[in-house]
Amino acid sequence: MESLKELYRIGRGPSSSHTIAPTRAAELFAAENPGADHFRATLCGSLSKTGRGHMTDTAILDVLGRTKCEIIFSDRPDEELPHPNTMIFEAFAADGHGMSALEVYSVGGGRIAIKGRPAEKAQDVYQLSTFEEIRDYCNQKNMRICQYVYETEGETIKEYLSEIWQQMKRTIEAGLAAEGILQGGLAVQRKARYLYRQNHIDESPQTRENRLVCAFAYAVSEENADGGTIVTAPTCGASGVLPATLYYMQQYRRLPDEKIIDALATAGIIGNLIKTNASISGAECGCQAEVGSACSMAAAGLSELFGMEIDQIEYAAEVAMEHHLGLTCDPISGLVQIPCIERNAVAAMRAMNALSLANFLTHTRKISFDVVVKTMYETGRDLFSKYRETSEGGLAKTYFE
Ligand code: SF4
């Protein structure tokens, strides 16, 4: 498995596959064609169907130039595409002569693959690639999952995770401070600030906890929807779940940053296992791969914060994923707003619930984390393409009927 630096990336929302990866692809193409007079970028598959709502065109134009680049939203059938997120870049000389072309695939989590070139693959730093292997290794050496991360990646990974945590906090604070309507045309009102400021005298501690966790998840997801800076955890669309739960715990239980770093490391292993053995891409496996994965990461991170045993961490992560199985990706108008923002908040609460169950029921479990990850992948591959980030099914369809 790769470094956690490949999983947690700071970037521009609203979509790792639709903004971060296309930005990287456009930067690469521009760097390879410094003498080009103008460009054309053709977006296919999910990038075509939901690219406008996901601001893919804006991300590419910001790199290649609004006056120098033409964007084509292709209607090529999905079956003809080598990957559901395909983009073709072309560079032209001033006389219109084609100089070069590049076919690029956005393969999830902000990563790209290029046709005819070796896959962009970061070095594998983790030799173990299943939860079972990691659990056995940690048990043998009497170490926690976060210690396995530090042993494998070196202590410097803590500095990286600290930067990630600082950005997560900045995003929450920016989201809590913002008001108004999100761009995109659906007239979705920002709600994080409103939720955060409610404070009824008779509010129960449980209601207050839910409200605040939701406010923090809304804050991140609204920033993401508005093209703000977020941390992929594991993706942009699901970026609100993990920071919301950790921020709540830090704020209201006065936990030091060091504990949060340990939780990020533990959550990162869970995200990495899902990325390696299944997928974290909504275009590939639906929302179960994005928000389901984020919930699983958050449940594991919370379990680490509470010093739970490795079996309990596994159970919490497994429960969190299991009850997202089959979750489709159906964003209305291709915007990462409905159902995405609210879904992050619900998943954050669900992660807290998974933590509670892990406290009591771990010894009763029958499903392992590795099994639920395999199940998620098979379920995702079986989903019709209309439920995999194409905005052709589910809410995206019935909302307009
Ligand atoms: S429905 Fe889920 S996977 Fe699809 S865009 Fe929204 S958050 Fe991402």
PDB file of all heavy atoms in Angstrom, residues 41-50 52 71-78 80-81 86-88 392:
ATOM      1  N   ALA A  41      -9.930  20.417 -24.408  1.00  0.00           N
ATOM      2  CA  ALA A  41     -10.071  19.334 -23.421  1.00  0.00           C
ATOM      3  C   ALA A  41     -11.440  18.700 -23.614  1.00  0.00           C
ATOM      4  O   ALA A  41     -12.464  19.387 -23.542  1.00  0.00           O
ATOM      5  CB  ALA A  41      -9.935  19.873 -22.009  1.00  0.00           C
ATOM      6  N   THR A  42     -11.459  17.393 -23.913  1.00  0.00           N
ATOM      7  CA  THR A  42     -12.722  16.682 -24.117  1.00  0.00           C
ATOM      8  C   THR A  42     -12.989  15.809 -22.900  1.00  0.00           C
ATOM      9  O   THR A  42     -12.165  14.972 -22.527  1.00  0.00           O
ATOM     10  CB  THR A  42     -12.645  15.808 -25.386  1.00  0.00           C
ATOM     11  OG1 THR A  42     -12.302  16.652 -26.488  1.00  0.00           O
ATOM     12  CG2 THR A  42     -13.976  15.127 -25.659  1.00  0.00           C
ATOM     13  N   LEU A  43     -14.129  16.050 -22.281  1.00  0.00           N
ATOM     14  CA  LEU A  43     -14.485  15.307 -21.063  1.00  0.00           C
ATOM     15  C   LEU A  43     -15.487  14.216 -21.422  1.00  0.00           C
ATOM     16  O   LEU A  43     -16.483  14.488 -22.112  1.00  0.00           O
ATOM     17  CB  LEU A  43     -15.090  16.259 -20.023  1.00  0.00           C
ATOM     18  CG  LEU A  43     -14.222  17.474 -19.678  1.00  0.00           C
ATOM     19  CD1 LEU A  43     -14.945  18.402 -18.715  1.00  0.00           C
ATOM     20  CD2 LEU A  43     -12.895  17.021 -19.074  1.00  0.00           C
ATOM     21  N   CYS A  44     -15.229  12.995 -20.965  1.00  0.00           N
ATOM     22  CA  CYS A  44     -16.091  11.854 -21.315  1.00  0.00           C
ATOM     23  C   CYS A  44     -16.613  11.168 -20.054  1.00  0.00           C
ATOM     24  O   CYS A  44     -16.033  11.299 -18.976  1.00  0.00           O
ATOM     25  CB  CYS A  44     -15.306  10.813 -22.127  1.00  0.00           C
ATOM     26  SG  CYS A  44     -14.407  11.488 -23.525  1.00  0.00           S
ATOM     27  N   GLY A  45     -17.682  10.390 -20.264  1.00  0.00           N
ATOM     28  CA  GLY A  45     -18.222   9.581 -19.164  1.00  0.00           C
ATOM     29  C   GLY A  45     -18.732  10.461 -18.042  1.00  0.00           C
ATOM     30  O   GLY A  45     -19.413  11.469 -18.255  1.00  0.00           O
ATOM     31  N   SER A  46     -18.387  10.090 -16.819  1.00  0.00           N
ATOM     32  CA  SER A  46     -18.857  10.836 -15.656  1.00  0.00           C
ATOM     33  C   SER A  46     -18.347  12.281 -15.678  1.00  0.00           C
ATOM     34  O   SER A  46     -19.033  13.201 -15.235  1.00  0.00           O
ATOM     35  CB  SER A  46     -18.387  10.115 -14.383  1.00  0.00           C
ATOM     36  OG  SER A  46     -18.620  10.912 -13.268  1.00  0.00           O
ATOM     37  N   LEU A  47     -17.150  12.483 -16.227  1.00  0.00           N
ATOM     38  CA  LEU A  47     -16.600  13.849 -16.275  1.00  0.00           C
ATOM     39  C   LEU A  47     -17.445  14.729 -17.191  1.00  0.00           C
ATOM     40  O   LEU A  47     -17.515  15.949 -16.992  1.00  0.00           O
ATOM     41  CB  LEU A  47     -15.153  13.822 -16.774  1.00  0.00           C
ATOM     42  CG  LEU A  47     -14.123  13.214 -15.835  1.00  0.00           C
ATOM     43  CD1 LEU A  47     -12.751  13.203 -16.489  1.00  0.00           C
ATOM     44  CD2 LEU A  47     -14.061  13.974 -14.511  1.00  0.00           C
ATOM     45  N   SER A  48     -18.081  14.118 -18.186  1.00  0.00           N
ATOM     46  CA  SER A  48     -18.940  14.881 -19.084  1.00  0.00           C
ATOM     47  C   SER A  48     -20.310  15.104 -18.440  1.00  0.00           C
ATOM     48  O   SER A  48     -20.848  16.208 -18.434  1.00  0.00           O
ATOM     49  CB  SER A  48     -19.098  14.122 -20.403  1.00  0.00           C
ATOM     50  OG  SER A  48     -20.089  14.733 -21.186  1.00  0.00           O
ATOM     51  N   LYS A  49     -20.837  14.017 -17.848  1.00  0.00           N
ATOM     52  CA  LYS A  49     -22.212  14.094 -17.325  1.00  0.00           C
ATOM     53  C   LYS A  49     -22.315  14.988 -16.096  1.00  0.00           C
ATOM     54  O   LYS A  49     -23.328  15.643 -15.880  1.00  0.00           O
ATOM     55  CB  LYS A  49     -22.716  12.688 -17.002  1.00  0.00           C
ATOM     56  CG  LYS A  49     -22.986  11.886 -18.279  1.00  0.00           C
ATOM     57  CD  LYS A  49     -23.166  10.427 -17.996  1.00  0.00           C
ATOM     58  CE  LYS A  49     -23.276   9.654 -19.309  1.00  0.00           C
ATOM     59  NZ  LYS A  49     -22.755   8.300 -19.195  1.00  0.00           N
ATOM     60  N   THR A  50     -21.298  14.970 -15.257  1.00  0.00           N
ATOM     61  CA  THR A  50     -21.388  15.767 -14.016  1.00  0.00           C
ATOM     62  C   THR A  50     -20.256  16.786 -13.919  1.00  0.00           C
ATOM     63  O   THR A  50     -20.062  17.397 -12.877  1.00  0.00           O
ATOM     64  CB  THR A  50     -21.365  14.850 -12.775  1.00  0.00           C
ATOM     65  OG1 THR A  50     -20.151  14.095 -12.770  1.00  0.00           O
ATOM     66  CG2 THR A  50     -22.535  13.901 -12.756  1.00  0.00           C
ATOM     67  N   ARG A  52     -19.882  19.778 -15.292  1.00  0.00           N
ATOM     68  CA  ARG A  52     -20.259  21.185 -15.061  1.00  0.00           C
ATOM     69  C   ARG A  52     -20.552  21.411 -13.582  1.00  0.00           C
ATOM     70  O   ARG A  52     -20.051  22.343 -12.979  1.00  0.00           O
ATOM     71  CB  ARG A  52     -21.497  21.535 -15.890  1.00  0.00           C
ATOM     72  CG  ARG A  52     -21.199  21.775 -17.348  1.00  0.00           C
ATOM     73  CD  ARG A  52     -22.439  22.360 -18.057  1.00  0.00           C
ATOM     74  NE  ARG A  52     -22.205  22.431 -19.495  1.00  0.00           N
ATOM     75  CZ  ARG A  52     -22.446  21.420 -20.327  1.00  0.00           C
ATOM     76  NH1 ARG A  52     -22.906  20.284 -19.880  1.00  0.00           N
ATOM     77  NH2 ARG A  52     -22.207  21.556 -21.613  1.00  0.00           N
ATOM     78  N   ILE A  71     -13.585  23.630 -24.024  1.00  0.00           N
ATOM     79  CA  ILE A  71     -13.992  22.409 -23.305  1.00  0.00           C
ATOM     80  C   ILE A  71     -15.120  21.746 -24.085  1.00  0.00           C
ATOM     81  O   ILE A  71     -16.113  22.400 -24.449  1.00  0.00           O
ATOM     82  CB  ILE A  71     -14.507  22.741 -21.878  1.00  0.00           C
ATOM     83  CG1 ILE A  71     -13.447  23.497 -21.057  1.00  0.00           C
ATOM     84  CG2 ILE A  71     -14.966  21.462 -21.165  1.00  0.00           C
ATOM     85  CD1 ILE A  71     -12.362  22.670 -20.455  1.00  0.00           C
ATOM     86  N   ILE A  72     -14.982  20.459 -24.327  1.00  0.00           N
ATOM     87  CA  ILE A  72     -16.045  19.696 -24.998  1.00  0.00           C
ATOM     88  C   ILE A  72     -16.607  18.686 -24.000  1.00  0.00           C
ATOM     89  O   ILE A  72     -15.838  17.936 -23.386  1.00  0.00           O
ATOM     90  CB  ILE A  72     -15.478  18.888 -26.198  1.00  0.00           C
ATOM     91  CG1 ILE A  72     -14.691  19.785 -27.149  1.00  0.00           C
ATOM     92  CG2 ILE A  72     -16.591  18.108 -26.896  1.00  0.00           C
ATOM     93  CD1 ILE A  72     -15.507  20.536 -28.143  1.00  0.00           C
ATOM     94  N   PHE A  73     -17.914  18.674 -23.837  1.00  0.00           N
ATOM     95  CA  PHE A  73     -18.569  17.652 -23.009  1.00  0.00           C
ATOM     96  C   PHE A  73     -19.051  16.560 -23.964  1.00  0.00           C
ATOM     97  O   PHE A  73     -20.045  16.741 -24.673  1.00  0.00           O
ATOM     98  CB  PHE A  73     -19.734  18.257 -22.221  1.00  0.00           C
ATOM     99  CG  PHE A  73     -19.275  19.222 -21.149  1.00  0.00           C
ATOM    100  CD1 PHE A  73     -19.178  20.588 -21.411  1.00  0.00           C
ATOM    101  CD2 PHE A  73     -18.920  18.768 -19.889  1.00  0.00           C
ATOM    102  CE1 PHE A  73     -18.747  21.476 -20.433  1.00  0.00           C
ATOM    103  CE2 PHE A  73     -18.497  19.648 -18.900  1.00  0.00           C
ATOM    104  CZ  PHE A  73     -18.404  20.999 -19.179  1.00  0.00           C
ATOM    105  N   SER A  74     -18.338  15.463 -24.012  1.00  0.00           N
ATOM    106  CA  SER A  74     -18.582  14.412 -25.003  1.00  0.00           C
ATOM    107  C   SER A  74     -19.781  13.534 -24.634  1.00  0.00           C
ATOM    108  O   SER A  74     -20.048  13.295 -23.457  1.00  0.00           O
ATOM    109  CB  SER A  74     -17.331  13.540 -25.116  1.00  0.00           C
ATOM    110  OG  SER A  74     -17.623  12.346 -25.776  1.00  0.00           O
ATOM    111  N   ASP A  75     -20.500  13.057 -25.650  1.00  0.00           N
ATOM    112  CA  ASP A  75     -21.591  12.112 -25.383  1.00  0.00           C
ATOM    113  C   ASP A  75     -21.215  10.691 -25.806  1.00  0.00           C
ATOM    114  O   ASP A  75     -22.075   9.873 -26.082  1.00  0.00           O
ATOM    115  CB  ASP A  75     -22.894  12.565 -26.067  1.00  0.00           C
ATOM    116  CG  ASP A  75     -22.705  12.752 -27.567  1.00  0.00           C
ATOM    117  OD1 ASP A  75     -21.606  12.443 -28.077  1.00  0.00           O
ATOM    118  OD2 ASP A  75     -23.660  13.220 -28.221  1.00  0.00           O
ATOM    119  N   ARG A  76     -19.924  10.414 -25.867  1.00  0.00           N
ATOM    120  CA  ARG A  76     -19.469   9.054 -26.205  1.00  0.00           C
ATOM    121  C   ARG A  76     -20.064   8.057 -25.198  1.00  0.00           C
ATOM    122  O   ARG A  76     -20.000   8.299 -23.990  1.00  0.00           O
ATOM    123  CB  ARG A  76     -17.943   9.015 -26.097  1.00  0.00           C
ATOM    124  CG  ARG A  76     -17.257   8.366 -27.281  1.00  0.00           C
ATOM    125  CD  ARG A  76     -15.776   8.614 -27.189  1.00  0.00           C
ATOM    126  NE  ARG A  76     -15.055   7.398 -26.934  1.00  0.00           N
ATOM    127  CZ  ARG A  76     -13.753   7.344 -26.701  1.00  0.00           C
ATOM    128  NH1 ARG A  76     -13.037   8.451 -26.674  1.00  0.00           N
ATOM    129  NH2 ARG A  76     -13.158   6.198 -26.488  1.00  0.00           N
ATOM    130  N   PRO A  77     -20.638   6.956 -25.670  1.00  0.00           N
ATOM    131  CA  PRO A  77     -21.258   5.993 -24.724  1.00  0.00           C
ATOM    132  C   PRO A  77     -20.240   5.437 -23.728  1.00  0.00           C
ATOM    133  O   PRO A  77     -19.070   5.221 -24.079  1.00  0.00           O
ATOM    134  CB  PRO A  77     -21.764   4.870 -25.637  1.00  0.00           C
ATOM    135  CG  PRO A  77     -21.782   5.437 -27.013  1.00  0.00           C
ATOM    136  CD  PRO A  77     -20.758   6.516 -27.069  1.00  0.00           C
ATOM    137  N   ASP A  78     -20.715   5.212 -22.523  1.00  0.00           N
ATOM    138  CA  ASP A  78     -19.833   4.721 -21.457  1.00  0.00           C
ATOM    139  C   ASP A  78     -19.123   3.433 -21.847  1.00  0.00           C
ATOM    140  O   ASP A  78     -17.967   3.224 -21.517  1.00  0.00           O
ATOM    141  CB  ASP A  78     -20.644   4.456 -20.175  1.00  0.00           C
ATOM    142  CG  ASP A  78     -21.128   5.747 -19.542  1.00  0.00           C
ATOM    143  OD1 ASP A  78     -20.707   6.821 -20.009  1.00  0.00           O
ATOM    144  OD2 ASP A  78     -21.937   5.666 -18.607  1.00  0.00           O
ATOM    145  N   GLU A  80     -17.900   2.475 -24.485  1.00  0.00           N
ATOM    146  CA  GLU A  80     -16.745   2.646 -25.375  1.00  0.00           C
ATOM    147  C   GLU A  80     -15.530   3.205 -24.642  1.00  0.00           C
ATOM    148  O   GLU A  80     -14.448   3.279 -25.207  1.00  0.00           O
ATOM    149  CB  GLU A  80     -17.101   3.637 -26.493  1.00  0.00           C
ATOM    150  CG  GLU A  80     -18.030   3.090 -27.527  1.00  0.00           C
ATOM    151  CD  GLU A  80     -18.320   4.139 -28.600  1.00  0.00           C
ATOM    152  OE1 GLU A  80     -17.640   5.186 -28.648  1.00  0.00           O
ATOM    153  OE2 GLU A  80     -19.251   3.888 -29.382  1.00  0.00           O
ATOM    154  N   LEU A  81     -15.742   3.628 -23.419  1.00  0.00           N
ATOM    155  CA  LEU A  81     -14.649   4.321 -22.725  1.00  0.00           C
ATOM    156  C   LEU A  81     -13.750   3.332 -21.981  1.00  0.00           C
ATOM    157  O   LEU A  81     -14.233   2.376 -21.379  1.00  0.00           O
ATOM    158  CB  LEU A  81     -15.223   5.322 -21.713  1.00  0.00           C
ATOM    159  CG  LEU A  81     -16.087   6.444 -22.295  1.00  0.00           C
ATOM    160  CD1 LEU A  81     -16.742   7.242 -21.175  1.00  0.00           C
ATOM    161  CD2 LEU A  81     -15.235   7.358 -23.168  1.00  0.00           C
ATOM    162  N   THR A  86     -12.808   9.696 -18.212  1.00  0.00           N
ATOM    163  CA  THR A  86     -11.773   9.878 -19.254  1.00  0.00           C
ATOM    164  C   THR A  86     -11.741  11.330 -19.713  1.00  0.00           C
ATOM    165  O   THR A  86     -12.787  11.968 -19.853  1.00  0.00           O
ATOM    166  CB  THR A  86     -12.086   8.966 -20.459  1.00  0.00           C
ATOM    167  OG1 THR A  86     -12.017   7.607 -20.026  1.00  0.00           O
ATOM    168  CG2 THR A  86     -11.096   9.179 -21.593  1.00  0.00           C
ATOM    169  N   MET A  87     -10.532  11.857 -19.933  1.00  0.00           N
ATOM    170  CA  MET A  87     -10.404  13.202 -20.526  1.00  0.00           C
ATOM    171  C   MET A  87      -9.292  13.179 -21.572  1.00  0.00           C
ATOM    172  O   MET A  87      -8.293  12.486 -21.407  1.00  0.00           O
ATOM    173  CB  MET A  87     -10.159  14.279 -19.465  1.00  0.00           C
ATOM    174  CG  MET A  87      -9.060  13.990 -18.481  1.00  0.00           C
ATOM    175  SD  MET A  87      -9.136  15.027 -17.003  1.00  0.00           S
ATOM    176  CE  MET A  87      -8.618  13.816 -15.770  1.00  0.00           C
ATOM    177  N   ILE A  88      -9.528  13.906 -22.652  1.00  0.00           N
ATOM    178  CA  ILE A  88      -8.539  13.942 -23.737  1.00  0.00           C
ATOM    179  C   ILE A  88      -8.097  15.396 -23.921  1.00  0.00           C
ATOM    180  O   ILE A  88      -8.935  16.285 -24.135  1.00  0.00           O
ATOM    181  CB  ILE A  88      -9.147  13.396 -25.048  1.00  0.00           C
ATOM    182  CG1 ILE A  88      -9.563  11.936 -24.824  1.00  0.00           C
ATOM    183  CG2 ILE A  88      -8.136  13.502 -26.190  1.00  0.00           C
ATOM    184  CD1 ILE A  88     -10.600  11.446 -25.785  1.00  0.00           C
ATOM    185  N   GLU A 392     -27.607  10.224 -13.539  1.00  0.00           N
ATOM    186  CA  GLU A 392     -28.676   9.774 -14.441  1.00  0.00           C
ATOM    187  C   GLU A 392     -29.734   8.947 -13.716  1.00  0.00           C
ATOM    188  O   GLU A 392     -30.712   8.520 -14.317  1.00  0.00           O
ATOM    189  CB  GLU A 392     -28.070   8.931 -15.580  1.00  0.00           C
ATOM    190  CG  GLU A 392     -27.246   9.768 -16.529  1.00  0.00           C
ATOM    191  CD  GLU A 392     -26.586   8.941 -17.616  1.00  0.00           C
ATOM    192  OE1 GLU A 392     -26.401   7.724 -17.411  1.00  0.00           O
ATOM    193  OE2 GLU A 392     -26.232   9.526 -18.643  1.00  0.00           O
TER     194      GLU A 392
END
